Amino acid sequence: MANLLITGGAGFIGSHTCLALLLAGHRLVVLDNFANSRPEALRRVAELAALEPLQARGCGDWATADQRLLVHQGDVRARQDLDPLFAAEPIDGVLHFAGLKAVAESIAQPLAYWDVNVAGSVCLLQAMAAGGCRTLVFSSSATLYGHPEQVPIPEEAPIRPINPYGQTKAAVEQLLADVAASQPAWRIARLRYFNPVAAHPSGRLGEDPHGMPSNIFPLISQVAMGLRPVLEVFGSDWPTADGTGVRDYIHVMDLAEGHSATLALLLAEAPQLLTLNLGSGQGHSVLDLVNAFAAASGQPIPIRLSARRAGDSAASIADPGAAERRLGWRTRRGLAEICRDGWAWQQANPQGYGA
Ligand SMILES: NC(=O)c1ccc[n+]([C@@H]2O[C@H](COP(=O)([O-])OP(=O)(O)OC[C@H]3O[C@@H](n4cnc5c(N)ncnc54)[C@H](O)[C@@H]3O)[C@@H](O)[C@H]2O)c1
């Protein structure tokens, strides 16, 4: 059992990973400012982990009665929010999900992205160093490969981000390499996610972004539900089989299990800097995804083809071989399960956690 700090634990990937970590026996302290999530997500994590009733601790903070899940509202850019967490108890490791993630928004608001993603990571690392914690799992992204020269993409492929979001992920990856080189005690994993989608199969946990979703899966779900009239598909002239972009979609529960396996490796092995792609190794076009979702939901999904979007690429598929070799992990859920679980979440929660 490890005592873990989860930044951004109320978000899409963070909440599913919190559940996987609780079920693996760990104790969690979550820090989230709820900029893109709702506290209800963590209440449902507690419910799915069968934890005892909740106790308020003031200022929006709460904990389960057995203290296995503690929730603090706070900001990764604020030492006054971070330092008390490290002072209160020894933290064995940090999983750092907190960040901003929308490519188009990052082009419009680069300062916000450099502030939250990069300055937030610097602040977290400073607090970790001061608090004596040197184990970190960082949420990186396949977006830093830009327009890849080859697919599937191995970890050794050149880092050439093509948008400010990707630039911030590349900058934090470099920061982590510098930190690891400066002191051999650090145990750091940089996990490059491909396209996380779907939801917990219970229909109780899922993706609930604030405002207009920035990625395709929640948009498809909302069109299937009749909440939006049409799905806009950006780019139908990419050099791919059907002209739409090809992505490596990974079920969020596979991703959550990948984090659990990574943490176990970091805690068991000698200190190291580990860099892994987390993806399925399978590519599906936007039209493949739309057709699979229409089949899973039994609903029509009208589409409108539009021009390519700035900052997008034709194809992005992981070479997941290193993750399989190092973690003994690979994705277990395919496109049909992805669409089934995403649809179950959308149907049960048409307004997300806000309903
Ligand atoms: N979802 C994807 O497609 C994807 C792909 C690759 C990498 N990632 C990365 O994975 C991480 C998690 O992504 P997600 O999809 O769960 O996003 P998300 O927006 O659902 O979750 C991020 C969480 O961080 C919180 N947060 C944001 N700014 C914060 C701050 N300053 N202080 C504290 N909390 C803050 C948000 O409220 C939210 O709960 C992000 O770092 C993202 O860049 C996501």
Side-chain angles (χ1 to χ4, degrees):
M1 197 271 296
N3 210 21
L4 305 172
L5 171 62
I6 319 291
T7 76
F12 171 46
I13 303 167
S15 58
H16 291 78
T17 305
C18 281
L19 178 59
L21 294 170
L22 286 169
L23 295 178
H26 300 299
R27 182 174 172 280
L28 312 183
V29 179
V30 171
L31 179 81
D32 201 302
N33 69 356
F34 303 108
N36 195 36
S37 56
R38 291 187 174 79
E40 175 64 13
L42 290 166
R43 296 204 183 89
R44 295 199 189 176
V45 167
E47 165 201 307
L48 289 168
L51 298 187
E52 293 295 312
L54 315 173
Q55 292 178 348
R57 304 170 98 230
C59 301
D61 294 355
W62 55 267
T64 54
D66 59 2
Q67 306 286 302
R68 284 202 49 223
L69 173 62
L70 278 73
V71 178
H72 296 276
Q73 181 160 2
D75 199 301
V76 279
R77 294 164 294 175
R79 286 290 295 274
Q80 67 268 29
D81 291 345
L82 290 165
D83 289 350
L85 306 182
F86 290 98
E89 55 199 315
I91 301 282
D92 302 313
V94 176
L95 287 91
H96 180 32
F97 296 98
L100 303 179
K101 63 167 183 178
V103 167
E105 187 183 62
S106 79
I107 295 169
Q109 301 176 36
L111 288 175
Y113 276 69
W114 282 85
D115 184 31
V116 175
N117 293 1
V118 181
S121 297
V122 171
C123 188
L124 173 66
L125 285 156
Q126 287 168 335
M128 288 177 67
C133 175
R134 292 196 166 69
T135 300
L136 175 71
V137 179
F138 171 63
S139 300
S140 189
S141 170
T143 195
L144 50 69
Y145 295 120
H147 298 294
E149 282 161 14
Q150 63 177 108
V151 288
I153 311 171
E155 286 83 354
E156 299 72 33
I159 302 302
R160 290 191 198 125
I162 52 176
N163 53 62
Y165 168 63
Q167 296 283 5
T168 65
K169 290 293 178 189
V172 177
E173 283 215 1
Q174 184 59 53
L175 166 68
L176 295 176
D178 293 346
V179 166
S182 73
Q183 244 201 27
W186 283 91
R187 298 159 190 266
I188 297 177
R190 305 182 296 188
L191 300 182
R192 297 176 181 161
Y193 314 154
F194 278 66
N195 279 67
V197 287
H200 188 266
S202 65
R204 298 290 290 158
L205 282 186
E207 185 167 12
D208 180 24
H210 290 188
M212 176 77 172
S214 59
N215 34 4
I216 191 166
F217 199 80
L219 288 169
I220 292 183
S221 314
Q222 292 177 5
V223 172
M225 197 71 196
L227 300 173
R228 294 182 191 277
V230 66
L231 177 78
E232 195 162 3
V233 176
F234 296 103
S236 53
D237 57 350
W238 293 107
T240 61
D242 65 21
T244 64
V246 167
R247 295 290 177 271
D248 182 336
Y249 295 101
I250 173 171
H251 195 298
V252 66
M253 292 310 300
D254 279 328
L255 193 54
E257 290 163 10
H259 284 77
S260 215
T262 301
L263 183 78
L265 180 149
L266 283 187
L267 294 175
E269 289 191 355
Q272 62 188 290
L273 174 66
L274 181 66
T275 306
L276 294 175
N277 288 336
L278 294 186
S280 70
Q282 304 294 316
H284 297 285
S285 74
V286 173
L287 296 185
D288 290 339
L289 183 65
V290 167
N291 291 335
F293 205 97
S297 64
Q299 301 298 317
I301 302 178
I303 62 168
R304 183 173 60 231
L305 300 177
S306 302
R308 295 179 186 183
R309 228 172 15 177
D312 276 350
S313 64
S316 174
I317 304 169
D319 175 345
E324 183 162 0
R325 284 190 297 278
R326 297 292 284 120
L327 305 176
W329 167 94
R330 63 155 80 170
T331 59
R332 295 188 290 134
R333 301 154 177 97
L335 204 56
E337 283 142 305
I338 283 173
C339 295
R340 179 198 68 195
D341 294 343
W343 179 235
W345 156 255
Q346 180 65 55
Q347 274 189 303
N349 308 270
Q351 307 301 327
Y353 295 114

